[in-house]
Amino acid sequence: MMTSTLTAARRRAERRADGASTSAPTTPDRSRRSFRRNAPLGWILPVAIIVIWYILYETGVINPTLFSSPVQVIEALIESMLTGAFWENFLASATRWIVGFLIGASLGLVLGSITGLSRLSERLLDTTFQMLRTVPFMGLVPLFVIWFGLGEMPKIILISFAAFFPVYLATYAGIRDIDRKLIEVGRVYELSTFRTVKDIVMPGALPSILQGIRLALGVAWLALVIAELNGANSGIGYWMQQGREFVRVDIVIAALLVFAVVGKLVDMFVRMLEQRLLGWRDNLAKEM
Amino acid sequence: MTIGLSLYDVGRTFGTTIAVQDVSLDIQPGEFVVLIGPSGCGKSTILRGLAGLDTEFDGRITAGGQAITGPSRERGVVFQEHRLLPWYNVAKNMMFGFDGSQAERKARLTEMLSLMHLEKFVDSYPHQLSGGMAQRTAIARALAPLPDVLLMDEPFGALDAFTRIEMQDALIDVWQKQRTTAVLVTHDIDEAIVLANRVVVMSAHPGTIKTVIDIDMEYPRNRTSERFSELRTLLLEQFLDSHHS
Ligand SMILES: Nc1ncnc2c1ncn2[C@@H]1O[C@H](COP(=O)(O)OP(=O)(O)OP(=O)(O)O)[C@@H](O)[C@H]1O
Ligand SMILES: [Mg+2]
């Protein structure tokens, strides 16, 4: 870790010495290094697990009533995709998740900005949010079911609740951590409050905010599963519930797989967004 | 329009440390004053007071006869660190405080880029610049809006000797053309003699003015002349003295 950080820093220093205008020629050494950096090393383990799983199933080491083979799981998935049942459930889940996330994240962004920017609102609101934050959102499910029944409302609220806190906390912290020296630059040029926020506060807080959003997407995904396992008649969670009732292990595993893959894809999307929006940052992560 | 600056019995304490004490100084409109002195003698503190970034002073600080109550666009500042906005490229950073039409902006940017020799780096981000290039961008940012007063805290500290001399000459040029009032902090005695109408030598603990020395030479100043070395010796004596007193 330490050495790779150092070499990355040195590489950056070298590039700086080159000057930003001259692009270095692609030497064999460089392309080898870029291969090493781009090789999909992260997929070795998942693939290995699936292979081992398959072998164990075929050799009869695992109990076939408790665990299906990867082939069965894929078959179950394809079958439900072909009948359209999968897409119906997927759409229901995705809608809940996106709507819930958007509501929670927007509220988090707005309220986090308000408490971050104004001491008065911080004193008024932050204690409340910090207290609410410690409430485990799973514990809210029974309460929401009593209050709002089994419709969409309690699910959306639960997901929004879960998505709110990571964004709220990240926005608040991001704004509070802005370098005061840069705020002074704004003062020297007599910037309006609006321009100070737009040119200095928000760009400065953006790395933290994006991190909060990534976290919120994950937590909202989790909340979605919990909401759908507790009284739903559509969604991937509901599909999984059905698999359990009919003792279809393949469907349960297929649903879990869907959750994992979508979670990973969303994470990749946010990372891409980060790289685009935060290109100005001198971050090491980009180079490793 | 040029503006004069004045300090009357100015003092500043941080908790129990007296950073600056009994500082009185009149800076004429269009004058170039250099502050020199050991580390911690309150040079940056005084500059922040003139900028209006710090208003917790005893005594009175005025610009154009008016008490300073806060920062003003009339007074451009170059900080001791470059303080560029990392999310904006060189062009946006340079023009950060500039108000004007798109065409004026473009013309001024071209002018500043060539003055600072940064044409090639117009699209670079601060983390891609060397320390000296970043500092030159910061100087251009302060110069771009044509302020009446320029306050500079060791603006050339991060530059190599050659670029430093080049920047000093460029600064004199800009200063004479725009007739701005300039206050510059430095540790470099030669730099003080090249730039200043008057050099203010300070001493530390508490920060006070030790002496003020007039530099009676025509601009541009010949760094190899006899008078230059005489002044260098004179200033060096005062400077060393201020370290020990
Ligand atoms: N914000 C602050 N809080 C507490 N003490 C401070 C603060 N700013 C400055 N000081 C103190 O005031 C004194 C003068 O500091 P100042 O930064 O003005 O020195 P300086 O002459 O600019 O030094 P240098 O040449 O190293 O930049 C120092 O003793 C410093 O510790
Ligand atoms: Mg200083």
Side-chain angles (χ1 to χ4, degrees):
Chain A
M1 179 59 215
M2 199 55 212
T3 46
S4 64
T5 309
L6 285 176
T7 45
R10 191 168 332 119
R11 215 179 302 141
R12 248 177 313 128
E14 278 164 12
R15 194 158 356 101
R16 206 152 46 193
D18 287 349
S21 56
T22 58
S23 60
T26 315
T27 62
D29 179 45
R30 250 170 220 256
S31 58
R32 190 160 8 102
R33 209 187 289 152
S34 95
F35 167 76
R36 222 186 295 148
R37 226 180 299 147
N38 297 331
L41 296 180
W43 291 104
I44 292 177
L45 202 57
V47 169
I49 288 173
I50 290 173
V51 169
I52 292 171
W53 169 19
Y54 180 77
I55 292 170
L56 289 180
Y57 185 87
E58 290 298 319
T59 53
V61 176
I62 43 180
N63 184 344
T65 53
L66 296 182
F67 229 88
S68 355
S69 89
V71 180
Q72 283 170 316
V73 170
I74 298 297
E75 273 170 7
L77 199 58
I78 290 174
E79 189 200 310
S80 69
M81 277 180 176
L82 289 177
T83 62
F86 172 82
W87 298 112
E88 230 168 80
N89 287 321
F90 186 77
L91 195 72
S93 288
T95 310
R96 277 176 200 139
W97 177 49
I98 290 169
V99 172
F101 168 78
L102 285 181
I103 294 173
S106 321
L107 283 175
L109 195 64
V110 170
L111 289 169
S113 304
I114 291 173
T115 47
L117 292 170
S118 134
R119 291 271 169 200
L120 181 67
S121 337
E122 181 196 4
R123 281 169 50 203
L124 272 174
L125 299 172
D126 195 52
T127 314
T128 310
F129 289 137
Q130 296 293 351
M131 263 159 52
L132 275 177
R133 184 171 73 103
T134 59
V135 174
F137 62 85
M138 293 184 212
L140 293 171
V141 175
L143 203 56
F144 284 1
V145 170
I146 293 172
W147 286 348
F148 307 108
L150 292 173
E152 287 303 299
M153 178 95 106
K155 298 181 182 59
I156 302 278
I157 294 178
L158 186 77
I159 296 162
S160 311
F161 186 89
F164 171 81
F165 288 102
V167 178
Y168 169 80
L169 291 173
T171 307
Y172 170 75
I175 290 175
R176 275 295 143 87
D177 285 351
I178 302 272
D179 191 351
R180 289 199 46 76
K181 292 181 168 179
L182 294 183
I183 301 283
E184 272 186 0
V185 172
R187 288 181 60 202
V188 164
Y189 293 104
E190 296 185 83
L191 295 194
S192 62
T193 309
F194 173 76
R195 264 205 72 193
T196 308
V197 171
K198 173 181 150 286
D199 285 341
I200 301 174
V201 177
M202 279 306 159
L206 195 60
S208 169
I209 293 174
L210 282 175
Q211 220 171 340
I213 284 177
R214 205 164 88 203
L215 214 68
L217 280 165
V219 180
W221 197 227
L222 217 69
L224 173 78
V225 184
I226 289 160
E228 289 183 346
L229 286 177
N230 287 279
N233 43 28
S234 63
I236 299 293
Y238 165 73
W239 189 48
M240 186 153 91
Q241 186 84 335
Q242 276 186 316
R244 193 181 72 187
E245 272 167 32
F246 300 114
V247 201
R248 287 281 304 273
V249 183
D250 51 345
I251 289 185
V252 176
I253 296 175
L256 287 173
L257 205 67
V258 172
F259 279 124
V261 169
V262 173
K264 171 71 190 165
L265 287 179
V266 169
D267 198 61
M268 275 165 69
F269 171 73
V270 179
R271 270 172 201 273
M272 218 174 65
L273 201 70
E274 273 182 355
Q275 295 218 339
R276 294 214 101 190
L277 292 177
L278 305 180
W280 50 266
R281 227 167 27 152
D282 189 13
N283 60 342
L284 293 166
K286 217 164 40 186
E287 310 196 16
M288 290 193 296
Chain B
M1 207 194 66
T2 46
I3 286 179
L5 303 165
S6 296
L7 299 122
Y8 303 98
D9 293 330
V10 168
R12 177 68 164 104
T13 45
F14 295 100
T16 52
T17 17
I18 304 170
V20 171
Q21 198 176 39
D22 296 330
V23 167
S24 292
L25 185 67
D26 254 321
I27 299 167
Q28 301 305 312
E31 191 181 15
F32 203 132
V33 167
V34 167
L35 302 181
I36 198 166
S39 185
C41 70
K43 305 181 293 293
S44 296
T45 304
I46 289 176
L47 219 61
R48 289 176 61 80
L50 290 168
L53 286 168
D54 183 356
T55 50
E56 318 248 298
F57 281 87
D58 302 322
R60 233 166 95 77
I61 307 179
T62 63
Q66 306 278 314
I68 292 172
T69 54
S72 157
R73 304 174 59 88
E74 289 171 357
R75 279 169 273 132
V77 180
V78 179
F79 293 96
Q80 200 163 353
E81 325 82 31
H82 62 71
R83 299 200 191 183
L84 299 176
L85 301 178
W87 40 88
Y88 287 153
N89 62 17
V90 166
K92 268 204 103 164
N93 267 299
M94 273 190 178
M95 292 295 111
F96 189 69
F98 186 85
D99 262 335
S101 70
Q102 205 58 36
E104 286 169 333
R105 228 182 147 74
K106 220 177 142 205
R108 190 71 179 141
L109 176 63
T110 312
E111 219 175 313
M112 284 294 121
L113 285 169
S114 87
L115 182 70
M116 296 297 161
H117 304 301
L118 287 171
E119 291 96 335
K120 280 188 192 158
F121 297 91
V122 60
D123 294 321
S124 299
Y125 285 86
H127 78 264
Q128 299 169 312
L129 303 175
S130 71
M133 290 182 332
Q135 195 60 9
R136 278 181 279 156
T137 309
I139 295 167
R141 174 174 70 185
L143 289 177
L146 301 170
D148 296 322
V149 176
L150 256 180
L151 305 168
M152 294 164 279
D153 201 346
E154 295 184 43
F156 308 137
L159 306 184
D160 63 273
F162 179 75
T163 318
R164 191 179 252 257
I165 287 175
E166 203 177 20
M167 287 292 130
Q168 288 163 358
D169 293 346
L171 180 61
I172 286 298
D173 216 44
V174 169
W175 167 67
Q176 285 183 321
K177 278 202 195 111
Q178 294 178 11
R179 312 225 37 76
T180 52
T181 307
V183 182
L184 181 141
V185 169
T186 185
H187 281 126
D188 180 344
I189 290 172
D190 277 25
E191 183 163 288
I193 304 170
V194 169
L195 298 173
N197 293 122
R198 278 192 297 162
V199 179
V200 175
V201 182
M202 297 186 61
S203 55
H205 310 298
T208 46
I209 293 180
K210 191 173 182 319
T211 39
V212 179
I213 292 169
D214 283 300
I215 307 294
D216 49 359
M217 285 175 78
E218 288 294 314
Y219 293 98
R221 285 162 180 170
N222 184 350
R223 291 175 175 81
T224 52
S225 69
E226 203 170 315
R227 182 72 189 133
F228 200 99
S229 13
E230 276 170 28
L231 284 165
R232 184 187 289 131
T233 314
L234 178 67
L235 261 174
L236 196 58
E237 277 166 9
Q238 295 293 337
F239 189 65
L240 291 177
D241 207 28
S242 77
H243 261 282
H244 301 304
S245 59

